[in-house]
Amino acid sequence: MKAILYDAIPMMKRATAGLFCLLIALASCQSPDTDQPQAAAQQPTAKADTVQQQRRPKPEYYSFKGVEKKRVYICLDESADTFHQKHDCPVLITCQSTFRNLTLARAVEAFDRYNCEMCSADLAYIFDENAVQMETGL
Ligand SMILES: [Zn+2]
């Protein structure tokens, strides 16, 4: 009788130890479970931040005398705010939406587009108010 009781104590100890291990396992299992939805929720927003560039406001000033009939390309993407002279411009190629060929005047006036730095840097003067002020001052 004494021997049985003596044996039962370590068994109980092992059982409690086992229970402890189980609790620890449950606790360690639970924290990734609760973290997961948060991480999943954070991922798309982080992705959207990197992909979606801030669209600039409508150009306040522009003067495209002589080049208004020039044909340019625009990407009909929500975040796109540029026009392109080259149909194979690296920026235009990344367009996730459809693109359109239209006149420079329409691209600026109807679609609020700025010149693309990659293929249309030479047209930056269209939006340069100071350059034109100097011109009219002469
Ligand atoms: Zn371009």
Side-chain angles (χ1 to χ4, degrees), residues 84 89 116 119:
H84 309 270
C89 170
C116 166
C119 68

Side-chain angles (χ1 to χ4, degrees), residues 67 70 83 85 115-126:
V67 288
K70 192 186 228 344
F83 64 76
Q85 291 186 87
N115 64 300
C116 166
E117 294 294 332
M118 289 282 264
C119 68
S120 306
D122 59 319
L123 290 173
Y125 73 92
I126 289 172

